[in-house]
Amino acid sequence: MDLNMNVNPPHSMGTTIIGVTYNGGVVLGADSRTSTGMYVANRASDKITQLTDNVYVCRSGSAADSQIVSDYVRYFLHQHTIQLGQPATVKVAANLIRLLSYNNKNMLQTGLIVGGWDKYEGGKIYGIPLGGTLIEQPFAIGGSGSSYLYGFFDQAWKEGMTKDEAEQLVVKAVSLAIARDGASGGVVRTVIINSEGVTRNFYPGDKLPLWHEELEPQNSLLDMLNVPSPEPMNI
Amino acid sequence: MNFMASTQPENRLLGPQSDSQRTLYPYVTGTSVVALKYKDGILMAADMGGSYGSTLRYKSVERMKPIGKHSLLGASGEISDFQEILRYLDELILYDNMWDDGNSLGPKEVHNYLTRVMYNRRNKFNPLWNSLVLGGVKNGQKYLGMVNMIGVNFEDNHVATGFGNHLARPILRQEWHENLSFEDGVRLLEKCMRVLLYRDRSAVNKLQVDVFLKMAPNQIYSLAKLLWSLT
């Protein structure tokens, strides 16, 4: 840090990913857009990938890099689970991801958020940004869309939310990021993990709130033309 | 499981092709660490910020950790490299304990180990992108040293990294003296950290302060008494 003050900020990564702990587990959320340059290669991608029954990871950055890292870690965790005789902990999964991210930092370009539930520590979220730093957090945001969410979370986040509050927060946040980040879009996917198991949810555009300068979607112009003219005012 | 081993590639002999392992630039970084010797030991302070370029991304990063029974390590620079250094030191301390010979590695030894690691990595053009402060007390002897990513290392009564060198050390040069009391030491450190908060863009108002003598648990707090009136 002393020698090279001109630090290169990293490339923006086309995604918004979020992981939030709540009182009882975690909620992971992501958008569904994969872009190659300006073209949307996949508008319905699933960026929340399973590692084990109780641990999932949100992927951002290079699709290839994040997929291969997840695949290796899933493979290692599978063997670890067999050897251990019980479900792997979130901490172990996060550390395996960190090991690959750190040791291959020159070649990989992927930021990951690991979230899950285990019987020892309950719900946990670990952020693993570029470079391979491992950081345990009550909530984590990542991807290019996350730039628009720092202020939002500073204000809206609170400790000890319920499952529904946490999911609503995640959905609201991803949808706010989609509204402003060109590299994020599509639908909002969420995964809720707690002691009872895993629940996947899906929120298409019409289920999301409208933000500034966004209009109520119409089926067709024709429906708008058939609306009768407004009544004159009674003054 | 070989894939996971964190070693330099064996294909060094292949020359320029073997560029695969080089830290080119840091991603998540910590800013200054400031430390000084006082009457009974060492006082060290660092803020809890992890910056990501110009964004103050993480605000609860512990950049100071105790090492063994006698030392404290503070780091600025790339956090992932600091986490890796902690793992190397874990192993070092473990092996030291396994000797079970009643001896334990003191701050001088740990500092020397770190210096060798940092300098050797620099020689291979694959530095650990950190500036480290190592302080501690063993058998009543106080020790405070610094080593950076190119292997420059030295010992002094007060040290700092990054911006701290430019802003804190002049203050320390003026006001530090032998046999500083604990209270005076804390006040001096806070004075330095306050200046850094005013003048360092990547500083965050959440400090971690550690005392090395009686292994007091480290304190995390925010600084008040910031003067903004422009008279």
Side-chain angles (χ1 to χ4, degrees):
Chain A
M1 190 68 183
D2 293 14
L3 298 181
N4 193 2
M5 286 300 187
N6 178 29
V7 167
N8 279 323
H11 286 26
S12 70
M13 298 180 281
T15 301
T16 306
I17 50 173
I18 301 183
V20 147
T21 56
Y22 71 90
N23 156 28
V26 299
V27 180
L28 299 176
D31 71 309
S32 71
R33 178 174 285 187
T34 308
S35 29
T36 50
M38 282 280 133
Y39 176 65
V40 178
N42 185 352
R43 63 184 174 93
S45 16
D46 183 8
K47 303 179 188 181
I48 310 177
T49 308
Q50 183 180 28
L51 294 178
T52 69
D53 290 339
N54 55 320
V55 182
Y56 280 65
V57 61
C58 293
R59 303 180 290 109
S60 76
S62 152
D65 288 350
S66 62
Q67 280 171 13
I68 201 70
V69 169
S70 310
D71 286 347
Y72 269 111
V73 172
R74 191 181 307 119
Y75 167 67
F76 293 140
L77 279 174
H78 184 217
Q79 298 185 319
H80 172 67
T81 304
I82 291 169
Q83 212 174 21
L84 198 62
Q86 52 185 8
T89 57
V90 191
K91 188 185 267 195
V92 166
N95 269 283
L96 286 170
I97 299 247
R98 179 209 85 96
L99 218 49
L100 286 174
S101 292
Y102 180 77
N103 291 320
N104 297 291
K105 63 160 82 183
N106 301 302
M107 293 177 283
L108 292 174
Q109 245 216 14
T110 172
L112 301 154
I113 297 178
V114 179
W117 185 95
D118 60 58
K119 68 182 188 197
Y120 297 104
E121 307 228 48
K124 284 283 181 200
I125 294 283
Y126 291 89
I128 303 156
L130 251 46
T133 311
L134 174 71
I135 181 149
E136 202 244 296
Q137 302 169 275
F139 70 90
I141 55 179
S144 56
S146 67
S147 311
Y148 306 97
L149 297 176
Y150 286 100
F152 174 70
F153 272 91
D154 276 346
Q155 192 245 22
W157 159 263
K158 44 190 172 60
E159 201 65 59
M161 288 185 287
T162 65
K163 177 173 76 133
D164 291 326
E165 282 176 333
E167 201 191 8
Q168 282 321 300
L169 183 67
V170 168
V171 171
K172 189 172 180 184
V174 180
S175 106
L176 278 168
I178 288 176
R180 292 293 183 177
D181 179 31
S184 300
V187 303
V188 179
R189 294 194 197 275
T190 63
V191 171
I192 308 175
I193 312 172
N194 52 32
S195 54
E196 275 131 52
V198 176
T199 317
R200 263 192 181 278
N201 287 322
F202 160 81
Y203 296 88
D206 51 313
K207 289 248 192 54
L208 299 174
L210 286 170
W211 304 117
H212 182 50
E213 289 177 320
E214 289 181 351
L215 298 172
E216 193 69 54
Q218 303 285 343
N219 282 335
S220 168
L221 175 65
L222 306 172
D223 295 340
M224 287 166 67
L225 293 174
N226 290 332
V227 171
S229 38
E231 294 286 317
M233 290 194 292
N234 274 330
I235 302 178
Chain B
M1 293 291 194
N2 288 341
F3 188 86
M4 294 208 297
S6 73
T7 52
Q8 306 309 312
E10 258 81 54
N11 56 354
R12 246 166 282 147
L13 296 169
L14 290 171
Q17 290 168 268
S18 59
D19 248 23
S20 44
Q21 267 273 43
R22 267 184 189 221
T23 307
L24 295 169
Y25 40 73
Y27 291 102
V28 182
T29 56
T31 183
S32 331
V33 179
V34 186
L36 48 82
K37 284 187 188 166
Y38 75 101
K39 182 160 58 90
D40 304 320
I42 308 286
L43 271 164
M44 198 186 292
D47 70 19
M48 299 190 74
S51 299
Y52 191 67
S54 60
T55 304
L56 303 173
R57 189 167 181 183
Y58 302 107
K59 295 190 187 177
S60 295
V61 182
E62 281 194 34
R63 299 194 290 114
M64 283 163 22
K65 293 276 183 182
I67 310 291
K69 292 204 286 258
H70 303 286
S71 324
L72 200 57
L73 174 66
S76 66
E78 169 69 51
I79 303 294
S80 66
D81 285 344
F82 174 55
Q83 291 180 343
E84 193 71 0
I85 288 170
L86 290 176
R87 277 162 199 266
Y88 288 152
L89 288 173
D90 248 349
E91 196 175 12
L92 183 74
I93 300 293
L94 182 71
Y95 276 93
D96 184 41
N97 289 338
M98 277 175 18
W99 283 104
D100 201 20
D101 57 4
N103 191 27
S104 50
L105 290 172
K108 202 174 199 133
E109 291 85 64
V110 178
H111 184 225
N112 182 256
Y113 173 80
L114 287 171
T115 302
R116 293 294 99 221
V117 170
M118 301 299 271
Y119 183 61
N120 275 289
R121 289 285 297 255
R122 166 263 191 198
N123 286 339
K124 292 188 253 185
F125 284 94
N126 181 206
L128 286 161
W129 206 285
N130 296 109
S131 290
L132 305 170
V133 172
L134 201 294
V137 183
K138 187 177 172 188
N139 299 331
Q141 291 269 41
K142 305 183 287 254
Y143 183 89
L144 185 58
M146 204 202 71
V147 56
N148 69 10
M149 66 187 260
I150 55 170
V152 170
N153 70 96
F154 55 86
E155 228 200 288
D156 209 338
N157 294 319
H158 46 81
V159 297
T161 68
F163 254 77
N165 273 312
H166 298 107
L167 297 174
R169 297 223 44 217
I171 300 177
L172 292 166
R173 276 182 212 120
Q174 282 272 41
E175 303 193 19
W176 185 89
H177 57 85
E178 202 77 51
N179 291 319
L180 261 179
S181 71
F182 175 73
E183 289 76 20
D184 285 341
V186 171
R187 258 177 243 131
L188 191 49
L189 215 56
E190 285 184 341
K191 187 172 186 176
C192 294
M193 297 310 284
R194 194 170 287 117
V195 171
L196 288 169
L197 196 56
Y198 288 138
R199 299 292 182 174
D200 180 359
R201 247 176 58 165
S202 39
V204 145
N205 194 0
K206 195 165 165 194
L207 302 188
Q208 194 190 354
V209 177
D210 251 333
V211 191
F212 216 83
L213 175 65
K214 275 148 193 153
M215 298 276 271
N218 71 55
Q219 302 301 315
I220 294 176
Y221 65 107
S222 283
L223 278 179
K225 288 219 221 136
L226 295 172
L227 293 168
W228 291 111
S229 61
L230 296 165
T231 29

